[in-house]
Amino acid sequence: MGKLCALYMRFLLFFFIIFTTNFPQHVLANESKSPLAPALFVMGDSLFDSGNNNLLPTLAKANFLPYGHNFARGSTGRFTNGRTVADFIAEFLGLPYSPPYISSLRKSSTITGFNYASATCGILPETGLYIGKCLNLGDQINLFERTVNVNLARQFESSTKMKDYLSKSIFVISIGSNDYINNYLQPNIYASSLSYSPQSFAKLLNDALFQHFQKLYKLGARKVVIFELGPIGCIPSVTRQYKHSGKCVEEINQLVNLFNNQLRTTLTTLTSTLKGSAFVLGHLNGLGYDAIINSNAYGLTDSSNPCCITWQNGTSGCIPGSLPCRDADKHYFWDGFHLTEAIYFVLGKQCINDNKYCIPMSIKQLVHA
């Protein structure tokens, strides 16, 4: 009976996903006439990068087709076929998509947020640098500090008004995957896996996050959403390079789970010690994993292979100018690392609406907190 009930619930979720994926701009749109927050600031890696890497000397770029294949603005530098979770959050808030900071500095217009995210980088400053220049989390927070001291200082006539603006703004962050993919799991390049046990490496990352978020708080951030790391043991770049049984390399997923378990404690401690703050956990690893393992119940026909043609037998980025699959909304993965817009929509919607997936409050609740 329990298995039948679980199967029934998955079929209900399947119909939910099919309906909402076809009409995401209506389902997530802000129905009020004014924005629900004054600004959306975005930080992270390639899951959120909207074009910062376009102007950096790096091999990690996505400013060419088929990236942006289903995005109204084309190939902007997003590492997917359409919108990201951060974009769906912007739509819900009634704000413009947060523009990439490096190429979108505005001196006179009202600032409704910036995107500082940078592909291949992570929490640790050395992560991903063998691929080229990128902005680690410390760099991104330093750029936000510049935003506060220079850009916002021009916008507001008093520090009180600026503090009020920052306290009501939403900050969304997705970072840390590359500290595993482009660091800990690269023993020929980095010594981290030799120097740290899986548990101590997860602690190293969380301790660094704690320091970074304290600085972010001092700069004025109060409403911060940090997403768990996804099941990176399931991405094609990993599954096609490691021997395993089943759909995923579970040993690598366990590394990520160690980090995620500590992250929850880290955010709880920050919220309890930093007055007036709300550090929300984007608890989406389990949902993402279930959609891979039980793909049919989610309306997916493929949860193992990239939708686009990639370099290195499906383990890397899309080949420029190649034609992607025709049914991207039925695929989980866009390239060897990243997800399709359809999956980002499902993840984003759950965090916006349900405090089971964004803990202890949904984004909808956070804007009124």
Side-chain angles (χ1 to χ4, degrees), residues 130-359:
Y130 69 97
I131 300 171
K133 172 63 179 175
C134 58
L135 305 173
N136 62 58
L137 184 57
D139 293 331
Q140 295 177 39
I141 293 177
N142 287 339
L143 290 177
F144 174 68
E145 183 175 21
R146 177 181 173 184
T147 300
V148 172
N149 293 334
V150 178
N151 306 95
L152 294 181
R154 295 193 185 106
Q155 178 174 320
F156 294 96
E157 57 190 34
S158 72
S159 61
T160 301
K161 290 184 178 180
M162 183 168 69
K163 287 179 180 178
D164 182 65
Y165 158 91
L166 289 171
S167 69
K168 294 177 181 178
S169 295
I170 304 296
F171 294 74
V172 296
I173 302 169
S174 178
I175 196 122
S177 294
N178 288 323
D179 292 292
Y180 288 94
I181 298 171
N182 293 329
N183 189 327
Y184 198 75
L185 297 175
Q186 300 289 342
N188 295 328
I189 302 173
Y190 295 97
S192 53
S193 61
L194 302 176
S195 304
Y196 296 94
S197 67
Q199 188 76 29
S200 62
F201 188 69
K203 185 178 186 303
L204 175 72
L205 297 179
N206 271 276
D207 288 346
L209 273 181
F210 193 90
Q211 298 298 321
H212 285 310
F213 291 156
Q214 282 186 317
K215 179 176 180 179
L216 196 60
Y217 175 86
K218 290 179 180 178
L219 291 171
R222 294 295 181 269
K223 300 180 178 182
V224 187
V225 182
I226 307 96
F227 292 93
E228 290 180 332
L229 304 190
I232 62 176
C234 303
I235 64 176
S237 179
V238 169
T239 59
R240 296 188 179 204
Q241 296 187 66
Y242 290 81
K243 291 183 179 180
H244 65 286
S245 58
K247 286 191 173 183
C248 305
V249 183
E250 297 300 347
E251 293 84 354
I252 293 179
N253 282 338
Q254 288 304 313
L255 295 178
V256 167
N257 289 339
L258 290 173
F259 172 87
N260 288 339
N261 290 338
Q262 292 188 30
L263 178 62
R264 189 165 187 168
T265 301
T266 297
L267 301 184
T268 300
T269 302
L270 284 164
T271 300
S272 64
T273 57
L274 300 178
K275 183 180 179 180
S277 70
F279 286 85
V280 175
L281 175 67
H283 184 48
L284 299 175
N285 177 285
L287 177 62
Y289 180 78
D290 192 57
I292 292 171
I293 302 302
N294 302 293
S295 55
N296 290 337
Y298 287 78
L300 302 174
T301 59
D302 192 322
S303 63
S304 301
N305 303 295
C307 177
C308 74
I309 302 172
T310 81
W311 303 105
Q312 300 175 319
N313 187 33
T315 63
S316 189
C318 300
I319 296 176
S322 61
L323 293 176
C325 63
R326 295 182 178 180
D327 54 349
D329 60 329
K330 303 293 185 183
H331 279 67
Y332 192 100
F333 294 105
W334 176 248
D335 60 14
F337 299 95
H338 307 99
L339 318 185
T340 60
E341 178 188 70
I343 302 302
Y344 286 140
F345 169 70
V346 173
L347 298 176
K349 179 174 177 61
Q350 296 292 24
C351 190
I352 288 168
N353 292 294
D354 195 337
N355 63 6
K356 183 175 74 173
Y357 293 103
C358 262
I359 301 171

Side-chain angles (χ1 to χ4, degrees), residues 53-64:
N53 271 33
N54 293 352
L55 298 179
L56 296 177
T58 176
L59 296 175
K61 297 180 187 291
N63 55 343
F64 54 84

Side-chain angles (χ1 to χ4, degrees), residues 13-83:
L13 186 56
F14 158 72
F15 286 113
F16 163 79
I17 292 171
I18 292 300
F19 176 79
T20 53
T21 301
N22 288 334
F23 307 97
Q25 65 273 25
H26 301 301
V27 175
L28 295 188
N30 173 18
E31 296 180 356
S32 67
K33 295 181 180 180
S34 58
L36 298 177
L40 174 66
F41 292 99
V42 180
M43 297 179 183
D45 50 32
S46 55
L47 298 180
F48 280 180
D49 190 346
S50 62
N52 283 306
N53 271 33
N54 293 352
L55 298 179
L56 296 177
T58 176
L59 296 175
K61 297 180 187 291
N63 55 343
F64 54 84
L65 289 172
Y67 291 107
H69 180 76
N70 304 108
F71 191 53
R73 302 182 186 181
S75 303
T76 59
R78 288 166 169 81
F79 287 76
T80 182
N81 60 309
R83 288 163 288 184

